[in-house]
Every structure is written in C-alpha cells, then in structure tokens.
C-alpha cells in the first residue's frame, strides 16, 4: 500500500474562506510511521478527514496504490474506508448507545469480510489486547476518557487497516496509558507494515518516531530524523 | 443488513419512551380497526348461525319485518303483537308447507323467555338432511301443559335441572315479585347447546302460555278493576307471536309470501332479506368506524414520523460516526427505516392482541346480555391489508427521517461543536 497526495488544497466554504491546506506532494509507503505535528487549527484533522475519504478536497487528489480515492463513488469510498483505513478521532466518536464491543464491531460489520461470529471474536480479542476485558459490555459514558480512547483504537484496528490515522491519541491519557496506546499502534502497524500517521503535539512522542512532519500555514515540512 | 437491523433494534431500545409511544398509538389504530371489523364479522356470522335453523319464512303480525325477524330469531325486543292460532292451523294443513312451527312468546322466568310451541319445534333443521337443530340433551320433550324444556344456557343461568319446578313471571323481561304467577312449571328436559339465542329460552306448549294469561285475566275480572277489557283481547292473549314456515319448495315459498302480502292481520317475511337489511345497517356503522380507524392510523403515522424525525435529528452525530467507520449512506438510511418499520410492525402486532382481545371481550359480554352468538374469528381476508397498511404508513413516515440520515454531513457532524 502506498499513499500519495498531489496538489492538494482545501478551503472550507464560508464567509472568511481561508485556505486551510495546500500540499504539493506527499508520498508514504508500507511501514511508514509518521508523527504529524502542528499547532491547534493548523489543519491536522482536516488532512485526516481528506485522507480517510470523508472530506472531498477543494482541489488535488489522494491516491491509494495509485488509484484516486475521490475517483471512487461515495459508497465505494465508504466501503474502502471500512476495509482499509483505521481512523482514531480526536474526540473518539464512540456511539453512546452502543457498548464497547458493539462500537468495535461496527467497522467489521460494514466491511462484511468476516462472519458475525468471527467479527465478535475479533472485537473481543482487540478489546482484551487493549486491557479492556472488563469493559466489553460497558457503554462509553461509563468509561474514563482513556478507556474510551482505547475502544476507539480497537475500533480503528478492527479491519487490519493498511493506513491508520490517529488524531491526538494520547491527549486524554496519563503517561503510562499513552505509552500503552502508542506501543500498540506502533507494534501493530509494524507487524502488518501498515502506514501509521499520528497527529500530536505531545513532546513525549517525538523520540518514538523516526519520520516527523510539521504542518504549518497549510503546508507540510518534512523533517527526516538523522 | 443484519447489522443494520441489530443497530436499529439497539437504537429503539436506547430510547424506550420515544419508541413506545408511537408503537402504542399504532397499536391503538390497528386495534380499533380489528375490534370493529372482528365484531361486525362476528355479528354477521352469529346472526346467520342463529337464523340458520329457523326456516325460510317467518309469519307474524303486520308491522316492521325486521323487528319481527329480530324478535323471532334473536329474541330481541318486544313482539309486534299476536296473530290468531287459526293461521297456524291453516299453514300446518297446507300441502305447500313441509313444516310449520307455532311460537307464542310472552312470559318469562328469571329473564329467560318462555316460548309456547309444539313438538314441531324439535323438527326444525338447518337443511333437509341435517339432524334436528334443537335436540334434547337430558330428559325428554314436553308431552303435557306446564311441562318445560329449557335451553342449555337458560338451564345453566337459572340453575334448574330436569325434574325441578318453578313459577312463571308475567311479561317480557325479568318480572317483579308481585307479578309472579301461581302456575307451577316442571322441567322435563334440557336442550343441547345450539349456539343460538334460543339456548337462553324455555319451551312449553302454547296452551300453557295462554293458560297463564287467561288465569291472570280471570283474576283481574274478578277484582272488577279492568272494566275496559274488550272482547278481542281474550282472543289476542291466545294468539301466536310468530310462525316459522318451511315450504316444500322455492315456488311455494313465494306463493305463501304472496298470500300474506294482501292479508290485513299477518305478514310473511324472508328472514334472509330482513337480516340483509340489518347487515346494511351494520356495514354503514362499520364504514363510519373504518373512517375513524383511518384517521387514527394517520395520527399514528404522524406520531411515528415525529418520533423518528426527532430521534434522527438528535442522532446525526451517531450517524456521522457510523459513516466515518465505513457505513454507507444506504446503511444509515436502512437503519432509520428499519427502526420505523420495527415501530409499526410491533405496533401492528400489539394492535392485534388488543383488537382481537377487545373484540373477544365485547363479544362475550354481548352474547351474555343478548344471547346472540358473536363468534370472533381471525380476519383471514382482511389480515393482509391490516399488515400492508401499517407497513406502508411506516415506510412513508420513515422516508423523511431516513432521508435526513442519508444526507448527514459527516465532517460537519463529527466536529466537536
Ligand atoms: N467544518 C469546518 N468548517 C469551517 N472551518 C473549519 C471546519 N473544520 C475546521 N475548520 C477550520 O479549519 C482550520 C483547521 O482546523 P482543524 O480542525 O483541521 O485543525 P487541527 O490542526 O486539527 O486543530 P486541533 O489541534 O485544535 O485539533 C481551523 O482554522 C478551523 O477553524
Ligand atoms: Mg484536530
């Protein structure tokens, strides 16, 4: 799997229409693990939404294995997202009416690659790996922010994504929990040679990533670790 | 698909009140329709069943034919009056008549009408080859005056058995203590249940019925208080309230009907025709209530729509989340539509319990009060419509909310604020 962005720009429609993103070219390949840094409002979430196929960019294109993501019909893009892209949202975005297990099973059900029994088994394994064995049937409102994040991580990993996007995954966590989560993301992606992009301004993470990209004034500034 | 269904179910359970109210309103709409339809269906079949054994023609006093039939066959309301017993003698001797049954209704015991008749009554059949409609279950047919055969329900209600005796009360309906006559009747037999109003009556000779009246009149004359008694009244008291006539054929039936057409004291009516008129009346009532049913169904649809619209609006974020983890527009559209359908289907199901339950209860009460059987049956012919309507209404009510879900702007709804 390789991910390529070309001539991408995004401007949200509205009164003071300001260009949020302006990226000439960005190419990632299997196994890349990137730390995406940028101040608040620099466009990290916007970029993730575009890369995950949720937000049609104003101009430019996103390619997965040289196939333009936005060349797909919307339903096919939804399906592609379910099967290949894991997205851990900044605010977790768990469904309140569903238990941890049901939240994790959601992308499995939409991807339709496993039988319902296998979906359930996979979801339980993931929750156990994230030390949530006791919270499998718990609703999100009865969990701490860190536990909720771990459910979101499990959900993002459910379909063995080729690309994993994590938006501020450690923001709500104490140091130990943050490490557990980052460890899991990094080791999982290393094992499956998936692309991992973590958006964060947590300084503790800097030492853990060899590839680092700064998002500033809508542009990416690559900083290769020596 | 299964997951969409599971999600729909989960969402419904997450908001029990929002889910229950439209379901209950839908249940009321369907329940009301089923109650009305099942009762009218039961009434029609009950009346047909009740009128089955009573032959082709009813001869009785001039007046409202429908009242004559209701009074004779369903024992409802007061008799129109009486006709001279000679009419029976003539009909019984008429070669065009295969069976004539005299009926003299008047006195009662504990609310059960006493009907004066003769042995021909026990020869009534629903069709030529059928067994007699009124068969003795216990004891025997009366052979003498003041011997009584009780209908099965009358025996049960009065707590009387073969061999028991009772006094007759005067008049129609439950008599007052002062009205009870001295005459003692003896129960000689009890009929098998027949599923007609006649299960609730008592049978004796016509002479026994007349004797009671003569006796009473004699007393009154002796007291000299009723001076205005006319000559004819004695005659009227020995009259018949109706005669059931089974002609030998269709042509003969028409001839007899013609004969009575010009008669000044008596008339002949075809019960089928008169009951047909009654059914028309019943159908009019059902039509009015059907319109009410449609209105309530419309209200149910609006309630379902409002509930689903609100819950969809309040769940736009959840819908955006489903989309963001790979759910398509069609998935979220289906979830909302499934929820709406679940509401209406469960409502319709609950409506059936309610509808058939209510109909059965009302039917039982009416049967107990009027002795008209009201069999409640599954509305085989109407059931498909009674499923299609709520489902159609559910789909219509769900389309707009499902469309809302379909159009949710994922990125916008995912933003924290
Ligand atoms: N739905 C939207 N409509 C209009 N403008 C938006 C929308 N979402 C984000 N923006 C604007 O785009 C810019 C980038 O926002 P974005 O959420 O991508 O930043 P971010 O880097 O994720 O910030 P943070 O670190 O605070 O999460 C901001 O100026 C924001 O106001
Ligand atoms: Mg952000």
């Amino acid at each position: 799997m390789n991910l390529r962005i070309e001539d991408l720009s995004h401007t949200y429609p509205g009164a003071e229409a300001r260009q949020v993103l302006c990226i000439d070219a960005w190419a990632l390949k299997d196994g890349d693990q990137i730390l995406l840094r940028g101040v608040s409002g620099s466009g990290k979430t916007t970029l993730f939404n575009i890369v995950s196929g949720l937000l049609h960019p104003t101009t430019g294109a996103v390619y997965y294995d040289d196939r333009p993501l936005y060349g797909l019909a919307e339903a096919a893009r939804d399906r592609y997202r379910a099967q290949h892209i894991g997205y851990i949202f900044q605010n977790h975005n768990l469904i309140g009416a569903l238990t941890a297990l049901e939240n994790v099973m959601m992308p499995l059900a939409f991807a339709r690659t496993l039988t319902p029994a296998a979906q359930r088994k996979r979801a339980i394994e993931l929750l156990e790996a994230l030390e949530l064995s006791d919270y499998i049937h718990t609703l999100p409102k009865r969990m701490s922010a860190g536990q909720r994040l771990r459910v979101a991580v499990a959900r993002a990993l459910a379909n063995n994504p080729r690309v994993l996007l994590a938006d501020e995954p450690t923001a709500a966590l104490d140091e130990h929990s943050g490490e557990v989560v980052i460890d899991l993301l990094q080791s999982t992606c290393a094992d499956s040679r998936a692309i991992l992009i973590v958006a964060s301004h947590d300084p503790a993470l800097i030492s853990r990533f060899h590839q680092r990209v700064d998002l500033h004034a809508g542009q990416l500034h690559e900083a290769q670790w020596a | 698909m299964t997951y969409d269904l599971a999600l729909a179910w989960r969402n419904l359970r997450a908001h029990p009140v929002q889910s229950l109210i439209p379901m209950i309103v839908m249940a009321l709409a369907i329940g009301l329709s089923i109650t009305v339809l099942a009762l009218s269906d039961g009434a029609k079949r009950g009346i047909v069943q009740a009128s089955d054994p009573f032959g082709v023609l009813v001869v009785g006093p001039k007046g409202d034919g429908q009242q004559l039939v209701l009074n004779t066959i369903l024992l409802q309301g007061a008799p129109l009056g009486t006709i001279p017993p000679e009419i029976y003698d003539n009909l019984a001797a008429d070669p065009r008549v295969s069976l004539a049954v005299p009926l003299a209704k008047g006195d009662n015991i504990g609310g059960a009408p006493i009907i004066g008749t003769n042995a021909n009554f026990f020869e009534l059949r629903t069709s030529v080859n059928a067994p007699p409609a009124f068969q003795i279950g216990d004891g025997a047919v009366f052979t003498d005056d003041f011997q009584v055969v009780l209908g099965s329900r009358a025996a049960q209600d009065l707590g009387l058995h073969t061999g028991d005796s009772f006094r007759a009360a005067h008049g129609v309906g439950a008599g007052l203590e002062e009205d009870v006559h001295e005459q003692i009747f003896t129960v000689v037999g009890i009929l098998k249940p027949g599923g007609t109003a006649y299960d609730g009556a008592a049978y004796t000779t016509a002479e026994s019925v007349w004797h009671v009246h003569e006796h009473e009149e004699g007393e009154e004359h002796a007291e000299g208080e009723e001076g205005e008694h006319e000559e004819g009244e004695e005659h009227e008291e020995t009259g018949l309230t109706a005669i059931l006539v089974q002609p030998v054929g269709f042509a003969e039936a028409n001839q007899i009907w013609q004969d009575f057409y010009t008669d000044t004291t008596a008339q002949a009516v075809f019960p089928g025709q008169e009951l047909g008129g009654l059914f028309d009346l019943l159908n009019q009532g059902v039509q009015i209530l059907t319109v009410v049913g449609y209105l309530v169904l419309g209200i149910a649809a609006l309630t379902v729509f409002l509930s689903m619209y609100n819950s969809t609006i309040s769940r736009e974020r959840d819908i955006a989340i489903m989309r963001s983890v790979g759910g398509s527009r069609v998935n979220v559209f289906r979830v909302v539509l499934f929820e709406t359908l679940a509401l209406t289907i469960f409502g319709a199901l609950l409506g059936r319990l309610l509808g058939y339950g209510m109909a059965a209860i009302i039917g039982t009460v009416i049967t107990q009060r009027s002795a008209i059987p009201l069999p409640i049956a599954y509305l085989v012919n109407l059931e498909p419509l009674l499923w299609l309507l709520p489902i159609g209404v559910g789909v219509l009510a769900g389309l707009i909310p499902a469309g809302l879900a379909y159009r949710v702007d994922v990125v916008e709804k995912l933003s924290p604020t």
Side-chain angles (χ1 to χ4, degrees):
Chain A
M1 168 78 65
N2 64 67
L3 163 60
R4 200 153 46 82
I5 288 171
E6 271 177 19
D7 300 324
L8 187 99
S9 79
H10 191 77
T11 308
Y12 284 105
E16 75 277 30
R18 209 165 41 79
Q19 195 172 44
V20 177
L21 288 177
C22 177
I23 300 169
D24 294 339
W26 195 32
L28 301 172
K29 59 181 193 309
D30 275 341
D32 279 351
Q33 300 200 343
I34 314 271
L35 178 65
L36 178 67
R37 301 203 307 164
V39 294
S40 180
S42 57
K44 301 182 294 292
T45 301
T46 304
L47 178 60
F48 276 6
N49 285 342
I50 291 171
V51 168
S52 64
L54 287 171
L55 181 63
H56 209 298
T58 313
T59 64
V62 177
Y63 297 93
Y64 282 97
D65 285 339
D66 300 321
R67 285 185 13 234
L69 179 61
Y70 289 92
L72 295 173
E74 192 188 39
R77 212 158 66 228
D78 290 331
R79 191 84 186 282
Y80 191 88
R81 179 167 55 253
Q83 290 176 342
H84 303 295
I85 304 170
Y87 190 170
I88 300 158
F89 295 89
Q90 192 167 9
N91 43 8
H92 312 149
N93 283 340
L94 301 180
I95 292 187
L98 303 182
T99 63
L101 178 65
E102 288 163 336
N103 268 288
V104 176
M105 279 179 68
M106 206 159 30
L108 292 164
F110 288 135
R112 282 175 284 167
T113 45
L114 295 177
T115 64
Q119 290 171 14
R120 192 183 166 83
K121 187 163 168 280
R122 165 97 181 123
I124 291 175
E125 279 168 9
L126 280 162
L127 287 167
E128 282 170 349
L130 283 149
E131 301 174 19
L132 285 169
S133 320
D134 296 338
Y135 297 88
I136 285 171
H137 300 293
T138 307
L139 292 175
K141 66 179 172 203
R142 301 201 197 289
M143 291 184 210
S144 72
Q147 289 167 335
R148 279 201 287 270
L149 170 73
R150 281 182 276 154
V151 175
V153 169
R155 188 177 64 183
L157 292 175
N159 281 317
N160 286 316
R162 305 303 305 147
V163 175
L164 185 60
L165 310 169
D167 200 353
E168 306 277 5
T170 57
L173 304 185
D174 59 62
E175 207 172 317
H176 169 72
S177 303
E179 273 180 15
V180 169
V181 166
I182 290 294
D183 274 345
L184 184 87
L185 292 180
Q186 287 196 308
S187 62
T188 309
C189 289
D191 289 350
S192 62
R193 303 212 24 88
I195 296 170
L196 170 67
I197 310 175
V198 175
S200 176
H201 31 245
D202 182 353
L205 297 186
I206 294 173
S207 61
R208 308 187 56 130
F209 285 84
H210 297 285
Q211 291 170 282
R212 215 184 59 197
V213 172
D214 291 322
L215 186 55
H216 181 69
Q219 293 184 313
L220 287 177
H221 302 278
E222 239 163 296
Q224 219 69 341
W225 211 245
Chain B
M1 188 80 154
T2 1
Y3 187 72
D4 295 350
L5 267 174
L7 267 186
W9 179 238
R10 209 72 177 76
N11 287 333
L12 287 179
R13 285 195 22 202
H15 312 278
V17 177
Q18 265 186 46
S19 308
L20 269 177
I21 299 286
M23 220 167 84
I24 288 169
V25 179
M26 182 56 77
L28 288 177
I30 296 298
L32 175 73
S33 305
I34 286 182
T35 307
V36 169
L37 293 169
L39 277 176
S40 76
D41 171 72
K44 283 177 202 168
R45 282 185 305 114
I47 290 170
V48 169
Q49 182 189 327
S51 59
D52 241 8
F54 295 100
V56 172
L57 276 174
V58 173
V59 174
K62 280 271 181 207
D64 182 3
Q66 200 165 299
Q67 196 187 335
L68 174 62
V69 171
L70 281 177
N71 180 249
T72 307
I73 289 177
L74 301 177
L75 302 178
Q76 291 298 296
L80 289 172
T82 56
I83 51 172
E86 292 74 46
I87 295 178
Y88 167 74
D89 298 336
N90 292 338
L91 282 169
D94 195 320
R96 296 172 303 179
V97 173
S98 68
L99 182 71
V101 179
L103 297 174
K105 185 182 163 199
D107 288 21
N108 70 78
I109 160 178
I114 298 180
I115 294 168
T117 181
N118 63 19
N120 284 358
F121 178 79
F122 302 96
E123 287 302 316
L124 284 167
R125 290 160 207 266
T126 54
S127 64
V128 187
N129 296 319
F134 300 101
Q135 293 184 25
I136 298 291
D138 181 45
V141 174
F142 49 79
T143 51
D144 201 358
D145 291 349
F146 307 113
Q147 292 186 344
V148 162
V149 170
L150 291 176
S152 58
R153 220 162 40 79
Q156 206 174 16
D157 290 351
L158 298 170
L160 289 172
H161 304 280
T162 307
D164 290 349
S165 297
F166 63 89
R167 294 167 171 189
H170 175 68
V172 179
L176 294 170
E177 201 63 38
E178 291 99 319
D179 287 337
V180 175
H181 295 285
E182 291 302 311
Q183 191 56 59
I184 307 286
F185 285 87
T186 306
V187 180
V188 294
I190 291 168
L191 291 175
K192 290 181 185 168
T196 74
Y198 275 52
D199 286 345
Y203 307 92
T204 184
T205 61
E207 287 75 14
S208 315
V209 171
W210 293 331
H211 188 275
V212 171
H213 286 262
E214 280 161 14
H215 185 65
E216 173 192 48
E217 232 157 272
E219 271 181 5
E220 279 167 357
H221 277 301
E223 283 162 18
E225 285 174 1
E226 303 279 330
E228 61 271 29
H229 269 301
E230 287 163 32
E231 283 292 323
E233 198 158 313
E234 173 92 356
H235 200 72
E236 206 179 30
E237 292 293 358
T238 62
L240 297 169
T241 47
I243 304 164
L244 306 173
V245 179
Q246 189 71 62
V248 292
F250 187 70
E252 288 79 2
N254 275 320
Q255 280 176 18
I256 295 167
W257 184 83
Q258 284 285 344
D259 291 351
F260 280 98
Y261 192 71
T262 48
D263 198 300
T264 49
T265 53
Q267 63 171 341
V269 297
F270 290 101
Q273 268 176 21
E274 300 299 334
L275 292 174
L278 193 69
F279 287 175
D280 286 346
L281 213 69
L282 204 65
N283 284 338
Q284 277 174 28
V286 169
Q287 267 167 19
I288 291 170
L289 286 168
T290 303
V291 171
V292 174
Y294 279 126
L295 282 177
V296 181
L297 190 67
I299 293 169
L302 278 178
T303 316
V304 169
F305 166 76
L306 260 180
S307 163
M308 285 313 300
Y309 189 85
N310 276 335
S311 82
T312 306
I313 292 271
S314 69
R315 268 185 324 181
E316 280 184 325
R317 194 180 144 77
D318 286 359
I319 290 162
I321 294 171
M322 285 168 59
R323 293 287 317 283
S324 74
V325 298
S328 66
R329 288 187 193 273
V330 173
N331 282 128
V332 296
F333 182 90
R334 265 203 311 233
V335 168
V336 174
L337 206 59
F338 283 162
E339 280 178 46
T340 322
L341 277 176
L343 288 184
T344 49
I345 288 173
F346 281 114
L349 208 64
L350 193 67
R352 273 162 178 76
L353 289 181
L354 216 72
Y356 286 116
M358 280 300 288
I361 292 170
I362 295 175
T364 310
V365 170
I366 290 180
T367 305
Q368 274 168 3
R369 295 224 176 122
S370 68
I372 303 171
L374 233 163
I376 298 302
Y378 193 64
L379 299 164
V380 180
N381 296 324
L382 288 168
E383 273 293 331
L385 180 72
L386 289 169
W387 277 115
L388 276 178
L389 271 179
I391 290 173
V393 155
V395 169
L396 279 182
L399 279 179
I400 290 176
L404 273 181
Y406 187 87
R407 285 198 309 273
V408 159
D409 181 332
V410 179
V411 171
E412 185 193 323
K413 295 300 170 196
L414 283 180
S415 315
T417 52

